Amino acid sequence: MLFGGLIFYLFLLIIRPQDFVPGLVGVRLVLYTMGFLLAIWAGSSVDKRIFRAPQDKFIGLFFVAIIVSTYTVDWMQFTLDTTIEVTKTALLYYFIITIVDSEERFKIATWSILIYTTLIALFAMMTYYGMPVVGFERFYNLYKEEWAIRGSGFIDNPN
């Protein structure tokens, strides 16, 4: 169940159906799933050592440095938003290093990431060619003076 939750969490982070599925728009699915997965992870029998290798300590410091670097902006909402985004990434990293404990699980997780990324790339290409599957449209970017799309998932910024 824990590994299935991790794959679902990856799905929510990469595809982000809460951005385009009508019944889910605005729902904070990633945060709810993150909290639920964290609770299951905390109560499971999985080895919870998050500092297994030297790079685990450095990545932890990197996550802290990202959050601390926003304090100079003097904009609390930006710091809060950054903290939430960094926490999602940090939990994903630490979930992966503790839950993905076999070569089979590693292959499944890697292929899931590749398939999800390919899927949103296909959505973006279909949008560019006039078939907006997920409801995003092409628009004219005045700054670059060319047509662009707003993709779905984690590539939702105009390109």
Side-chain angles (χ1 to χ4, degrees):
M1 179 169 166
L2 197 55
F3 184 68
L6 175 65
I7 298 299
F8 182 66
Y9 186 60
L10 285 169
F11 173 79
L12 290 178
L13 282 175
I14 296 173
I15 300 286
R16 290 187 7 201
Q18 63 273 20
D19 290 348
F20 59 86
V21 175
L24 300 176
V25 173
V27 177
R28 305 202 61 170
L29 281 177
V30 173
L31 287 178
Y32 298 146
T33 305
M34 182 174 67
F36 184 69
L37 192 59
L38 184 60
I40 292 173
W41 178 81
S44 73
S45 61
V46 143
D47 181 15
K48 295 175 186 65
R49 289 181 301 127
I50 58 175
F51 299 120
R52 298 173 184 216
Q55 62 268 27
D56 295 338
K57 294 174 188 169
F58 290 115
I59 195 78
L61 288 173
F62 177 67
F63 291 139
V64 170
I66 292 172
I67 295 169
V68 171
S69 70
T70 62
Y71 293 155
T72 61
V73 177
D74 289 332
W75 184 21
M76 196 49 142
Q77 187 61 43
F78 178 69
T79 301
L80 182 62
D81 292 341
T82 302
T83 302
I84 289 171
E85 290 302 315
V86 168
T87 302
K88 286 191 249 184
T89 307
L91 281 177
L92 179 63
Y93 176 79
Y94 290 118
F95 284 157
I96 287 175
I97 65 169
T98 58
I99 297 171
V100 179
D101 58 356
S102 68
E103 186 175 344
E104 179 184 343
R105 284 185 172 186
F106 177 74
K107 287 179 183 178
I108 292 171
T110 303
W111 277 107
S112 296
I113 292 169
L114 288 173
I115 289 168
Y116 298 155
T117 305
T118 302
L119 194 61
I120 62 167
L122 287 172
F123 289 164
M125 286 186 272
M126 291 172 74
T127 300
Y128 182 77
Y129 289 108
M131 299 175 281
V133 180
V134 293
F136 295 100
E137 299 284 338
R138 288 177 50 176
F139 66 95
Y140 190 74
N141 187 338
L142 293 173
Y143 180 71
K144 293 183 178 180
E145 297 180 353
E146 62 184 20
W147 284 94
I149 61 165
R150 181 173 289 280
S152 62
F154 73 110
I155 58 168
D156 69 343
N157 59 343
N159 54 15

